């Protein structure tokens, strides 16, 4: 029988609180502060590049190679797919295999940053003003090409807005989790010292 959302959330909370026991919040709180700062910068400036931007770009370019054998469309989509799959997989791995709840929050924030960068790229499709990175002298604008081929280039702004909304939701959820975990670690540490 399916468990209710409340039961799943209660189990998650208990597991996360047990994970927090004996852990120091201080370095994690500093990283949480950066995640909040970087998210606010992304919200204020679509061209902002966080500390995660370089690795995100690396996964984007790798995605073109990984998906190249699946045809033209998948090769173009592959960069964006791997750009999003890498942080999602990192967060899930840290949570499900390592039991690291804070690592999952960092992975969720990285996913948000990668999504914001993707939204900027999609928004640029009809404009093609961003400097491009690629394997040749004249790199192709993935989303300019895809949206043109699909006949929806004029909807690029709408697609970018939806992606930014997903990014914002992911970021808010992730920093809320990271903040809550730091508070729980601090409370447990204070109780242990009392």
């Amino acid at each position: 029988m399916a468990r209710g959302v409340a039961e799943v959330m209660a189990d998650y909370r208990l597991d996360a609180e047990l994970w927090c026991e004996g852990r120091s919040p201080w370095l994690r709180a500093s990283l949480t502060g950066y995640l909040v700062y970087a998210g606010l910068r992304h919200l204020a400036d679509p061209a902002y590049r966080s500390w995660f931007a370089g690795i995100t770009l690396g996964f984007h370019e790798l995605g073109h190679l990984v998906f190249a054998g699946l045809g033209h469309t998948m090769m173009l989509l592959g960069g964006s797919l791997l750009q999003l799959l890498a942080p999602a997989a990192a967060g899930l791995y840290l949570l499900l295999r390592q039991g690291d709840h804070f690592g999952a929050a960092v992975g969720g924030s990285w996913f948000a940053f990668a999504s914001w960068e993707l939204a900027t790229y999609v928004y640029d499709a009809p404009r093609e003003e961003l400097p491009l990175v690629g394997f040749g002298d004249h790199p192709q604008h993935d989303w300019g090409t895809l949206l043109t081929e699909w006949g929806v280039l004029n909807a690029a702004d709408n697609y970018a807005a939806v992606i930014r909304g997903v990014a914002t939701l992911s970021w808010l959820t992730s920093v809320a989790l990271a903040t809550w975990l730091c508070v729980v670690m601090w409370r447990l540490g204070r109780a242990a010292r009392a």
Side-chain angles (χ1 to χ4, degrees):
M1 180 172 258
R3 295 173 47 196
V5 173
E7 290 174 327
V8 171
M9 293 304 293
D11 287 348
Y12 178 82
R13 180 180 178 156
L14 178 61
D15 189 51
E17 288 173 344
L18 289 172
W19 178 84
C20 287
E21 286 183 12
R23 298 186 192 278
S24 172
W26 304 115
L27 286 175
R28 291 175 180 92
S30 297
L31 180 53
T32 301
Y34 172 73
L35 298 176
V36 169
Y37 166 80
L40 291 173
R41 288 290 310 272
H42 272 291
L43 286 170
D45 178 9
Y48 174 72
R49 310 271 295 162
S50 73
W51 290 345
F52 294 86
I55 193 165
T56 299
L57 178 61
F59 278 111
H60 179 95
E61 294 305 320
L62 179 62
H64 292 306
L65 296 175
V66 169
F67 289 92
L70 300 177
H72 170 75
T73 299
M74 284 306 297
M75 185 271 300
L76 290 173
L77 278 174
S80 296
L81 289 174
L82 198 57
Q83 169 179 336
L84 298 178
L85 287 173
L92 286 172
Y93 176 82
L94 288 168
L95 178 62
L96 300 177
R97 298 288 292 180
Q98 302 292 325
D100 186 341
H101 295 272
F102 189 83
V106 173
S109 295
W110 177 21
F111 176 83
F113 302 156
S115 297
W116 274 317
E117 291 174 19
L118 175 59
T120 300
Y121 194 24
V122 171
Y123 179 83
D124 185 62
R127 298 158 185 84
E128 296 200 21
E129 296 172 350
L130 290 175
L132 300 178
V133 175
F135 298 107
D137 291 337
H138 304 289
Q140 194 173 23
H141 195 295
D142 304 342
W143 287 98
T145 303
L146 287 168
L147 296 178
T148 298
E149 289 176 357
W150 296 339
V152 291
L153 184 62
N154 60 349
D157 295 6
N158 296 332
Y159 296 133
V162 170
I163 296 166
R164 284 184 67 75
V166 169
T168 302
L169 183 60
S170 174
W171 173 70
L172 288 171
T173 303
S174 298
V175 297
L177 174 60
T179 302
W180 176 73
L181 290 168
C182 288
V183 168
V184 171
M185 284 181 246
W186 177 75
R187 283 183 182 159
L188 291 172
R190 188 176 68 169
R193 290 187 300 274

